[in-house]
Amino acid sequence: MTATAKSQGPLFTKRALFTLIWPLLLEQTLSVTMGMADTLMVAGVGEAAVSSVSLVDSLNILIIQILSALATGGAVIASQYLGRRDEENASRSAAQLYSVLGISTVAVGVVCMLLSRPILRMVFGSIDEDVMRFAQQYFLISAVSYPFIGLYNGGAALFRAQGNSRISMLASLVMNVINIAGNALLIYGFGMGVIGAALATLIGRVFAAVFILWQNQDLHNPLRVQRFADLRPRRRPIMQILSIGIPSGLENGMFQIGKLCVSSLTSTLGTTAIAANAVANSVSTLANIPGNTMSLATIPVIGQCLGAGEKKQAQRYSVTLLGIAITGLAVTNAALFFLMPEVVTWFNLSAEASAMCTHVVHWFNLFSIFFWATSFTLPNALRAGGDAKFTMSVSIVSMWLFRVILSYIFVLQFHLGLTGVWFGMFIDWICRSLCFLVRFARGKWMEHKVI
């Protein structure tokens, strides 16, 4: 990364931004490929298998997103310390992040393994017995992988915080190659179905965690754990991490719980709707790759600017990254809109499910171009400034008021089916966009003391 000592000089050159962004773009593409590979390969087992993987993945995302919020907190703290040129405290905060993630992910994994069936029954209610059987198998193995995906996310966030996104990209590459190869071997070679897909994901996450922890200990890494004693929990750095991590975790948690409520609503529409929704969610992530990439890039860029006291640069880079996100989303969504009739044929769905899936994805493409980046990329600039409580409040209120409640109204009162579920989400995006744009324009998000 290129940075200058003079306060008036740009902290990130165009070359530095490109060096940060292109590995993130590849990493996000690989991440989406992993999700689609699971769905595609399990699709051959039948719609019950697709439905079970979809339902459990929505629960997995809830748990992983809550825990990953701690990684966001650690990345914000580390990036601001690096912007201030305080590598000693940056390294200590990194060690504390690993400790917090290790303890929390192991605890959550054990609870989910012990209570897998009651949790699934509580969240998804009455579902077909075949779907429940597949779901429990997938959930048990997924729970074993939580500590590994947690450590991977933490390490990846810390590498991005210093502008080194190449390492997290390589770790994602390792994880995806193992996952896809494992899917081919276990699902098709040994006929293990859902269990094979889960085991392949687990093995990939183990290797990714080991790889990124090994890279963390490179002598040239300013955020490496220098002494084993640094891993012992300490109040001040943990509180700094939690000041961002807890609001972000609550935001992610309530967001995903809301999505689970909507998933429960979708499950009442039948196996065809569940399968169509699963594929639509998987395919739509392809179009979101540019937005997710810029969301990841925003944390280190804005964090380092604010750590160095460069508020004008923080504003300027926020607008630049948002503009790139919107442009990229326009390209990918336009492409998916026209290719969707062909793409949906990859998933072995029934004619009814295919038509349903194509319909909602087309609507997604239109709304995503105008509202996705301002809903999900822009708030990362606010979080990098320590404004996590505001983003939490807006996200929770908008999620429950619009995405959840409106979805139930659209489905149960207006009988719009799966389309009603997705329109509740679109209205949620519009509300978030308005709130975050106003907050950004006023500049209050840069006034927080984070370190």
Side-chain angles (χ1 to χ4, degrees), residues 20-345:
L20 172 66
I21 289 170
W22 81 260
L24 291 177
L25 180 62
L26 181 56
E27 179 184 344
Q28 287 302 296
T29 303
L30 290 169
S31 177
V32 170
T33 301
M34 178 175 169
M36 289 192 66
D38 273 342
T39 306
L40 273 169
M41 292 182 173
V42 174
V45 184
E47 287 192 357
V50 175
S51 299
S52 67
V53 170
S54 169
L55 292 174
V56 174
D57 274 345
S58 63
L59 185 55
N60 282 335
I61 291 170
L62 162 65
I63 295 167
I64 292 170
Q65 286 291 321
I66 292 174
L67 297 172
S68 294
L70 298 173
T72 300
V76 169
I77 301 303
S79 63
Q80 291 216 9
Y81 273 128
L82 290 173
R84 187 186 283 186
R85 307 295 180 90
D86 186 352
E87 291 190 2
E88 182 178 356
N89 277 317
S91 175
R92 289 176 179 171
S93 66
Q96 294 298 294
L97 175 61
Y98 282 123
S99 295
V100 171
L101 281 171
I103 294 168
S104 58
T105 51
V106 168
V108 172
V110 170
V111 170
C112 289
M113 283 186 281
L114 293 176
L115 301 175
S116 59
R117 190 174 183 88
I119 290 172
L120 291 171
R121 186 63 71 187
M122 177 182 67
V123 173
F124 299 115
S126 178
I127 56 178
D128 294 344
E129 189 55 38
D130 281 348
V131 176
M132 173 58 78
R133 178 168 52 85
F134 284 135
Q136 189 172 8
Q137 293 170 350
Y138 194 73
F139 189 36
L140 280 170
I141 299 172
S142 296
V144 178
S145 76
Y146 292 162
F148 301 103
I149 192 64
L151 292 173
Y152 160 75
N153 283 333
L158 291 173
F159 276 109
R160 296 184 200 115
Q162 55 189 290
N164 186 353
S165 55
R166 185 178 63 87
I167 298 298
S168 60
M169 180 266 292
L170 290 174
S172 181
L173 176 62
V174 170
M175 182 163 56
N176 280 275
V177 168
I178 292 173
N179 182 71
I180 293 172
N183 276 334
L185 177 64
L186 299 176
I187 294 176
Y188 298 129
F190 292 98
M192 296 177 68
V194 168
I195 294 178
L199 285 174
T201 300
L202 169 62
I203 296 168
R205 288 175 175 178
V206 170
F207 274 85
V210 170
F211 175 81
I212 209 152
L213 291 175
W214 171 56
Q215 290 292 325
N216 177 80
Q217 292 308 104
D218 187 283
L219 292 175
H220 301 291
N221 178 19
L223 297 180
R224 72 186 183 93
V225 179
Q226 298 182 12
R227 296 174 300 274
F228 187 76
D230 289 342
L231 293 170
R232 181 168 55 85
R234 290 180 172 82
R235 186 177 184 276
R236 186 171 183 273
I238 288 178
M239 294 305 295
Q240 289 177 328
I241 293 170
L242 295 182
S243 69
I244 306 295
I246 288 179
S248 296
L250 288 173
E251 176 184 341
N252 290 346
M254 295 303 292
F255 178 75
Q256 294 301 329
I257 289 171
K259 288 182 70 174
L260 285 175
C261 290
V262 175
S263 293
S264 295
L265 174 63
T266 304
S267 68
T268 66
L269 299 175
T271 301
T272 298
I274 296 174
N277 190 59
V279 173
N281 280 322
S282 180
V283 169
S284 63
T285 57
L286 282 170
N288 283 344
I289 288 173
N292 283 323
T293 299
M294 293 305 109
S295 296
L296 292 174
T298 297
I299 293 290
V301 172
I302 307 308
Q304 288 199 35
C305 287
L306 293 177
E310 292 287 351
K311 295 182 180 180
K312 289 185 179 179
Q313 290 197 45
Q315 288 180 311
R316 185 168 70 250
Y317 286 126
S318 296
V319 173
T320 298
L321 294 174
L322 181 64
I324 296 172
I326 293 172
T327 302
L329 287 168
V331 172
T332 53
N333 278 282
L336 184 59
F337 185 93
F338 292 107
L339 293 173
M340 190 59 200
E342 173 62 26
V343 171
V344 76
T345 63

